[in-house]
Amino acid sequence: MLSTGLTAVSKRGYATFKPVISAAKPVDGFVGALGNTPLIRLKRLSEETGSNIYAKGEYMNPGGSVKDRAALYVVKDAEEKGLIKPGGTIVEGTAGNTGIGLAHVCRAKGYKCVIYMPNTQSQEKIDLLRMLGAEVYPVPAVAFDNPQNYNHQAARHAESLENAVWTNQFDNTANRQAHIETTGPEIWKQLDGKVDGFTCATGTGGTLAGIARFLKETSKGHTKIFLADPPGSCLYSYIKSGGQLTDRSGSSITEGIGQGRVTENLKPDIELIDDALQIPDEESIKMVYRLLDEEGIYVGASSALNVVAAVEMAKKLGPGKNIVTILCDGAYRYQSRLFSKKWLESKGLTDAIPEHLKKYATL
Ligand code: PMP
């Protein structure tokens, strides 16, 4: 028997592969392929903190993000309530990922898909939505209390059509239900119930709220929950001040996260949140590059923000813990920004990237 380093090769020259014993069973279509994502132990950060930093690889969902789960649940909810019939139209307001999840689900189930999104979002997401057959309306990014906000435009569009539904991901609790029924239980099973901490950022709040609800209840209160916020979002100050929605100062390069109100998805679970962290963009962008360099993991800025928050949480809780967070989507959706020297310069973030990692900014 010779060893090639990669695989053992017999004297006759046939490779003898180790049997794969954990292969999943075949699944049915796009919907069947959703969920059951891997829980990835981040080796370097675990060594640095003395805790296990685990990241749920949601970017490996078939539509490429954590929002595939919510997309499926809001469509199933509309079907179960009889709000949509075959051939109908799903309309949604989204930073992009829910839209991409919906566009996939709509193709798989035979619905039309109409998406409103703020025009501040990356071109990659808009392009992908159109390639998936969605009708896309990028609109000016105005606050929720403005009638021209992308969500209200989506609602009006749905009202103007026959056999159409606005899935309303921010306030439709079928969104958090996806994480109560799937993501939370998967994490619990993957760690045999040994989950000391969970942290992630919020857009609609569905991911944080659903996972928090499941983990808090199942661990009988043991699992600590931290909300992670980018600058310019109100929830950090809301948690820290015990209920004041005041701080709207600042802005962030992260897409898909940050919130100015307590959505219906967050409301039932906000009291489960033990603490909040605010993560500066400098830390998030540096972590985008570190994850690529150290782990070979290519994810977007909200995922990186989550990982920074998990490290902070590990420091707060002390060594020997299992801390879990979410890798929301891949960096492919933002690479014309995150890996562009010009863009980094325009955001004043060039110096946030350590010298030895600058080689990755190749665009
Ligand atoms: N990260 C990214 C990249 C997203 O698009 C979103 C959803 N907008 C989130 C995180 C937050 O997920 P949730 O809506 O469940 O809070």
Side-chain angles (χ1 to χ4, degrees):
M1 204 63 95
L2 306 168
S3 175
T4 63
L6 283 175
T7 153
V9 177
S10 74
K11 276 186 191 145
R12 280 150 135 198
Y14 300 118
T16 52
F17 297 103
K18 275 191 188 163
V20 178
I21 49 173
S22 62
K25 293 266 186 291
V27 294
D28 212 16
F30 178 91
V31 168
L34 239 152
N36 286 314
T37 54
L39 191 65
I40 306 167
R41 184 173 173 273
L42 301 175
K43 287 193 283 186
R44 182 80 72 89
L45 295 169
S46 298
E47 276 162 26
E48 276 177 22
T49 56
S51 277
N52 291 309
I53 306 290
Y54 290 106
K56 184 95 168 124
E58 289 298 289
Y59 66 106
M60 296 188 205
N61 271 306
S65 91
V66 65
K67 300 299 305 203
D68 289 1
R69 298 183 194 251
L72 177 63
Y73 266 63
V74 293
V75 171
K76 279 201 322 200
D77 180 64
E79 289 173 335
E80 280 161 21
K81 291 181 175 151
L83 301 174
I84 190 155
K85 298 185 182 46
T89 306
I90 300 285
V91 190
E92 186 57 288
T94 158
N97 277 332
T98 304
I100 293 165
L102 283 172
H104 280 285
V105 171
C106 286
R107 292 260 55 77
K109 284 175 169 276
Y111 298 122
K112 296 183 211 69
C113 183
V114 176
I115 297 300
Y116 280 79
M117 59 193 284
N119 60 11
T120 47
Q121 303 303 295
S122 76
Q123 191 59 41
E124 285 92 331
K125 288 189 284 190
I126 298 173
D127 291 344
L128 179 54
L129 277 163
R130 291 195 170 126
M131 284 187 267
L132 295 171
E135 197 177 305
V136 187
Y137 297 93
V139 297
V142 295
F144 188 75
D145 50 15
N146 184 322
Q148 295 311 313
N149 174 277
Y150 61 104
N151 285 296
H152 307 313
Q153 296 210 49
R156 288 195 295 271
H157 192 119
E159 267 169 37
S160 74
L161 299 174
E162 284 292 312
N163 191 15
V165 65
W166 171 48
T167 38
N168 188 12
Q169 58 160 334
F170 286 88
D171 295 311
N172 178 349
T173 55
N175 170 358
R176 77 191 258 287
Q177 199 62 28
H179 300 286
I180 294 176
E181 290 181 11
T182 70
T183 332
E186 286 173 29
I187 292 169
W188 186 258
K189 199 164 171 214
Q190 284 168 311
L191 286 176
D192 290 326
K194 296 183 186 72
V195 191
D196 300 301
F198 175 77
T199 181
C200 77
T202 62
T204 64
T207 309
L208 180 72
I211 294 174
R213 170 64 55 183
F214 181 87
L215 292 180
K216 269 284 185 210
E217 279 186 5
T218 316
S219 72
K220 302 191 172 56
H222 170 80
T223 307
K224 290 263 178 293
I225 307 293
F226 284 12
L227 179 146
D229 231 12
S233 176
C234 294
L235 296 175
Y236 169 78
S237 59
Y238 183 90
I239 303 287
K240 287 292 193 187
S241 69
Q244 306 284 317
L245 270 177
T246 47
D247 186 9
R248 283 172 198 259
S249 57
S251 63
S252 173
I253 60 153
T254 54
E255 294 184 35
I257 55 172
Q259 187 49 258
R261 67 189 177 99
V262 179
T263 62
E264 291 301 319
N265 276 292
L266 212 44
K267 220 173 256 173
D269 303 310
I270 196 110
E271 86 280 4
L272 302 180
I273 298 170
D274 296 293
D275 204 351
L277 301 163
Q278 194 178 46
I279 311 295
D281 281 353
E282 286 79 4
E283 295 294 316
S284 301
I285 190 79
K286 183 174 153 192
M287 190 57 84
V288 168
Y289 281 66
R290 278 195 68 181
L291 288 170
L292 171 58
D293 186 65
E294 294 168 12
E295 307 281 349
I297 290 177
Y298 191 57
V299 287
S302 73
S303 307
L305 180 146
N306 283 349
V307 173
V308 175
V311 169
E312 293 285 307
M313 188 175 199
K315 287 181 191 157
K316 283 201 172 205
L317 297 190
K321 305 287 192 301
N322 286 341
I323 311 290
V324 180
T325 192
I326 303 287
L327 298 176
C328 313
D329 64 1
Y332 304 98
R333 280 179 191 178
Y334 318 93
Q335 58 191 10
S336 67
R337 294 180 170 187
L338 300 179
F339 292 88
S340 151
K341 292 188 202 91
K342 228 169 151 183
W343 186 84
L344 290 169
E345 192 65 48
S346 75
K347 298 289 173 193
L349 289 173
T350 308
D351 293 341
I353 297 171
E355 270 323 302
H356 73 287
L357 300 180
K358 285 203 164 94
K359 64 183 179 214
Y360 297 111
T362 53
L363 300 176

